[in-house]
């Protein structure tokens, strides 16, 4: 009755979607000109296909979720059943059964299905034929699979590796306890050296050389961090940093304190599960100590015009040695739009963030800041148009350094000099661009490209960073708190963030 009513309206097509119809009911085919059956590869044994009536009546069949294991086998079996029910005995004859992945942008299977439907409609004089060039262009488009089928269990592999590692640590910790006890009691036990060596070899054989060395050097490690300062090297430069700070009341606070373990097993567990800063497994950080000349605080700003936000940045940085700028962009910029008199855009320009749509805007935003200074760092909270904003930023820094060098030389730089300045500049700039498109899709929605394309751009940017030897700027910051703001509890927030 509903279809009869809709047919009286001025529609070219009516697409009726039924709920899951199970293995039997094919009544929809009696009221439709064409029918399509959408299924997955989870139909069980091959014999189950004979019970699915829709395979006998459907004009098109889509076997969806092509990324699942066994999807290719399902395509073969469904195609066979389609031929069998229609008594088609020519193996070379193509049948309208398509393997699709609806969750994937520009999926090849979905495109083929679309053209098959369009061809049949053209055959029935309902639509004009599809242009050959357009068809060729679409079907030739490259597909970008986020996670290949053979790597879909990679998170499980990581978990399995971690569990295996922890089991090994626990087992070796028990042997380390015995080894330490043997060394402590060797003289008291008055055993033959030969017997002690034999036992020692038995306990040590499962350890790696550096693990035994770390255990033997434990006392030295404690002495190192019991000193007033730590001497270490960064890129062949010797750095000295104080290991002790004082509270207002004069109490000494050590920056790194090792546990007072005597047992070798406890020491081994500490070294393998926690360890000191800058050492594997890096639970205390990847650097030995944090920068002494820079507080880990961001000067966060973003409102109105670039000039207004620039004034705010200079106000926040007044008297500060380190300029750690953090930039908020307005929603117009976040969606990759230019400011416009249109009502849905005009009221949002410069609201809750700065409006940036040109290279000149970016230059005004960071005017007066030396972007290659080691104490300058710029963080940009932007995702969809992150590659474009990043390009604005890099070009701002390059133009700044080119102007500086030209002023020093009193002339225009040659092409070779410009290239050299450009290369050196992007290797020196420090900062982060968020560019986390997955959490946007899950929690915030400032997506302007398909997920696959956005991820491909992220990969391309990282490839450019690697080739250009850019080590001080982060091309992505995986974010979790926006997922929490969208309603996730702490466990879900952590799970999604780690998955991303």
């Amino acid at each position: 009755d509903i279809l009869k009513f809709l047919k009286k309206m001025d529609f070219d097509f009516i697409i009726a979607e039924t709920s899951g119809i199970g293995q039997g009911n094919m009544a929809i085919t009696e009221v439709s000109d064409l029918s399509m059956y959408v299924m997955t590869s989870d139909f069980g044994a091959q014999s189950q296909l004979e019970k699915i009536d829709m395979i006998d009546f459907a004009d098109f069949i889509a076997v969806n979720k092509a990324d699942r294991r066994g999807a290719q086998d399902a395509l073969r079996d469904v195609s066979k059943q389609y031929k069998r029910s229609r008594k088609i005995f020519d193996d070379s004859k193509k049948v309208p059964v398509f393997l699709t992945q609806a969750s994937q942008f520009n999926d090849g299977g979905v495109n083929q299905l679309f053209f098959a439907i369009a061809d049949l409609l053209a055959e029935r004089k309902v639509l004009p034929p599809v242009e050959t060039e357009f068809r060729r262009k679409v079907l030739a488009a490259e597909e970008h699979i986020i996670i290949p089928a053979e790597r879909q269990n990679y998170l499980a592999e990581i978990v399995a590796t971690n569990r295996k590692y922890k089991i090994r640590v626990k087992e070796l910790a028990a042997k380390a306890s015995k080894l330490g006890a043997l060394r402590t009691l060797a003289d008291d036990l008055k055993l033959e050296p030969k017997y002690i060596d034999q036992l020692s070899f038995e306990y040590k054989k499962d350890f790696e050389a550096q693990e035994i060395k770390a255990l033997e050097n434990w006392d030295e490690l404690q002495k190192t961090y019991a000193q007033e300062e730590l001497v270490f090297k960064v890129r062949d430069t010797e750095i000295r940093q104080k290991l002790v700070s004082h509270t207002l009341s004069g109490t000494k606070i050590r920056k790194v304190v090792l546990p007072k373990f005597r047992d070798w097993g406890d020491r081994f567990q500490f070294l393998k599960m926690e360890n000191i800063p800058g050492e594997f497994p890096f639970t205390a950080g990847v650097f030995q100590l944090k920068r002494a000349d820079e507080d880990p605080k961001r000067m966060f700003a973003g409102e109105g015009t670039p000039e207004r936000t620039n004034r705010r940045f200079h106000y926040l940085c007044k008297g500060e040695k380190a300029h750690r700028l953090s930039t908020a962009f307005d929603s117009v910029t976040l969606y990759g739009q230019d400011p416009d008199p249109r009502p849905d855009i005009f009221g949002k320009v410069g609201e809750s963030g700065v409006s940036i749509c040109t290279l000149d805007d970016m230059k005004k935003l960071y005017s007066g800041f030396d972007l290659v200074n080691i104490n300058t760092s710029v963080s940009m909270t932007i995702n969809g148009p992150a590659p474009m904003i990043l390009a604005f930023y890099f070009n701002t820094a390059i133009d700044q350094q080119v102007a500086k060098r030209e002023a020093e030389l009193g002339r225009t730089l040659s092409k070779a000099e410009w290239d050299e300045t450009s290369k050196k500049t992007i290797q020196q700039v420090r900062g982060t661009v968020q560019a986390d498109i997955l959490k946007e899709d899950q929690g915030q929605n400032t997506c302007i490209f398909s997920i696959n394309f956005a991820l491909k751009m992220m990969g391309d940017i990282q490839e450019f960073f690697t080739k250009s030897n850019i080590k001080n700027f982060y091309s992505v910051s995986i974010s979790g708190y926006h997922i929490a703001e969208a309603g996730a509890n702490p466990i879900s927030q952590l799970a999604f963030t780690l998955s991303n």
Side-chain angles (χ1 to χ4, degrees):
D1 290 338
I2 291 168
L3 284 171
K4 280 177 186 171
F5 170 73
L6 289 171
K7 280 178 182 178
K8 290 175 184 174
M9 305 289 183
D10 190 21
F11 291 116
D12 295 316
F13 298 99
I14 299 166
I15 299 173
E17 182 183 2
T18 68
S19 55
I21 58 172
Q23 295 182 333
N25 193 347
M26 33 62 68
I28 189 71
T29 60
E30 294 165 14
V31 290
S32 61
D33 297 304
L34 294 172
S35 57
M36 176 166 74
Y37 180 49
V38 182
M39 60 187 295
T40 66
S41 55
D42 305 332
F43 50 76
Q46 213 173 339
S47 57
Q48 294 297 313
L49 292 173
E50 294 173 16
K51 301 174 187 175
I52 303 175
D53 282 354
M54 278 303 296
I55 292 177
D56 300 344
F57 294 95
D59 297 287
F60 305 97
I61 298 174
V63 182
N64 198 33
K65 297 187 171 35
D67 53 329
R68 287 192 184 174
R69 276 199 187 134
Q72 290 290 346
D73 294 337
L75 175 68
R76 183 198 62 217
D77 294 342
V78 173
S79 299
K80 276 184 180 176
Q81 183 60 35
Y82 182 94
K83 287 179 180 179
R84 199 177 293 128
S85 66
R86 288 163 178 76
K87 296 185 170 54
I88 300 169
F89 302 112
D90 182 0
D91 287 340
S92 62
K93 187 175 171 67
K94 283 192 175 179
V95 292
V97 180
F98 302 90
L99 191 59
T100 62
Q101 188 181 339
S103 63
Q104 179 166 278
F105 174 75
N106 202 26
D107 177 62
V110 174
N111 288 340
Q112 286 174 350
L113 173 62
F114 171 80
F115 287 128
I117 294 169
D119 289 343
L120 192 52
L121 291 170
E123 206 177 285
R124 297 189 179 191
K125 305 284 191 276
V126 180
L127 274 184
V130 177
E131 289 178 17
T132 309
E133 183 57 27
F134 173 69
R135 184 198 305 263
R136 187 195 60 76
K137 191 177 173 185
V138 171
L139 293 178
E142 187 185 348
E143 285 184 37
H144 298 290
I145 296 165
I146 297 173
I147 303 169
E150 67 273 12
R151 294 292 297 123
Q152 281 176 3
N153 287 330
Y154 76 105
L155 288 175
E157 288 170 19
I158 291 169
V159 170
T161 302
N162 280 348
R163 284 177 181 161
K164 197 174 170 185
Y165 175 83
K166 287 175 182 176
I167 289 166
R168 178 181 179 270
V169 170
K170 198 175 177 183
E171 288 171 352
L172 288 184
K175 291 185 179 181
S177 289
K178 291 178 181 178
L179 187 60
L182 186 65
R183 294 205 176 187
T184 307
L185 298 169
D187 293 335
D188 296 344
L189 292 172
K190 294 176 181 166
L191 297 170
E192 288 182 35
K194 181 183 165 186
Y195 184 61
I196 290 173
D197 289 344
Q198 191 180 337
L199 270 177
S200 185
F201 175 78
E202 198 59 36
Y203 294 146
K204 281 163 72 173
K205 69 180 182 184
D206 293 326
F207 289 87
E208 291 174 9
Q210 72 265 27
E211 291 172 338
I212 295 294
K213 192 178 177 184
L215 282 169
E216 290 171 342
N217 291 343
W218 176 268
D219 293 335
E220 288 299 316
L221 189 66
Q222 279 193 315
K223 281 179 192 171
T224 301
Y225 283 94
Q227 296 175 99
E228 293 293 307
E229 64 176 16
L230 180 68
V231 181
F232 58 95
K233 281 190 173 184
V234 175
R235 292 181 195 153
D236 300 327
T237 305
E238 196 174 272
I239 294 175
R240 291 175 177 270
Q241 251 183 276
K242 291 194 181 300
L243 282 170
V244 179
S245 58
H246 296 83
T247 65
L248 292 172
S249 59
T251 306
K252 271 188 179 184
I253 298 176
R254 304 205 68 81
K255 290 186 179 179
V256 180
V257 181
L258 270 73
K260 294 174 182 176
F261 292 140
R262 298 185 65 133
D263 179 75
W264 275 37
D266 292 336
R267 291 177 180 181
F268 182 78
Q269 275 203 291
F270 172 78
L271 290 168
K272 299 302 283 184
M273 301 301 290
E274 296 175 55
N275 215 338
I276 55 171
E279 294 292 334
F280 179 85
F282 307 108
T283 59
V286 295
F287 302 109
Q288 285 177 291
L289 292 171
K290 74 174 187 184
R291 295 175 69 95
D293 59 344
E294 184 175 310
D295 283 330
K297 62 183 175 185
R298 286 267 176 210
M299 289 78 169
F300 190 72
E303 187 182 15
T305 62
E307 294 91 341
R308 182 175 173 176
T309 302
N310 177 263
R311 287 196 297 274
R312 178 70 179 166
F313 275 141
H314 281 286
Y315 173 75
L316 292 171
C317 290
K318 201 173 181 181
E320 294 282 352
K321 190 177 177 184
H323 299 158
R324 305 183 84 244
L325 314 178
S326 186
T327 315
F329 297 92
D330 66 357
S331 59
V332 178
T333 307
L334 293 176
Y335 280 104
Q337 297 283 342
D338 290 339
D340 197 271
R342 255 172 50 187
D344 61 325
I345 287 180
F346 190 72
K348 294 285 181 185
V349 176
E351 185 185 85
S352 304
V354 63
S355 175
I356 301 291
C357 69
T358 66
L359 178 58
D360 284 341
D361 284 344
M362 189 67 84
K363 288 179 179 179
K364 291 170 190 171
L365 179 63
Y366 298 117
S367 174
F369 291 100
D370 183 359
L371 299 180
V372 299
N373 188 307
I374 196 164
N375 287 323
T376 301
S377 166
V378 175
S379 167
M380 295 181 283
T381 309
I382 197 157
N383 298 281
M388 298 80 199
I389 290 292
L390 186 61
F392 285 167
Y393 180 73
F394 277 6
N395 278 286
T396 295
I398 290 165
D399 288 354
Q400 190 185 80
Q401 293 309 304
V402 166
K404 190 177 174 184
R405 201 167 167 200
E406 285 182 341
E408 288 168 1
L409 296 171
R411 60 173 174 82
T412 306
L413 296 186
S414 67
K415 173 76 168 61
E417 288 171 329
W418 194 96
D419 288 343
E420 183 200 340
T421 304
S422 165
K423 187 180 176 183
K424 194 176 174 186
T425 300
I426 60 176
Q427 287 174 355
Q428 285 179 308
V429 289
R430 292 177 62 217
T432 305
V433 61
Q434 195 166 73
D436 180 2
I437 201 63
L438 295 182
K439 73 84 190 166
E440 283 302 313
D441 185 56
Q442 293 154 358
Q444 284 207 301
N445 197 34
T446 60
C447 301
I448 58 176
F449 304 109
S450 73
I451 297 299
N452 291 40
F453 183 74
L455 285 172
K456 181 167 190 312
M457 281 201 294
M458 281 174 64
D460 290 346
I461 289 168
Q462 188 52 56
E463 185 182 13
F464 171 75
F465 272 39
T466 307
K467 284 180 179 174
S468 306
N469 201 28
I470 299 170
K471 295 180 179 178
N472 297 323
F473 205 97
Y474 296 104
S475 71
V476 62
S477 169
I478 307 296
S479 175
Y481 61 93
H482 291 136
I483 298 170
E485 287 172 358
N489 65 34
I491 296 167
S492 299
Q493 177 192 348
L494 182 62
F496 282 124
T497 308
L498 291 175
S499 295
N500 290 349

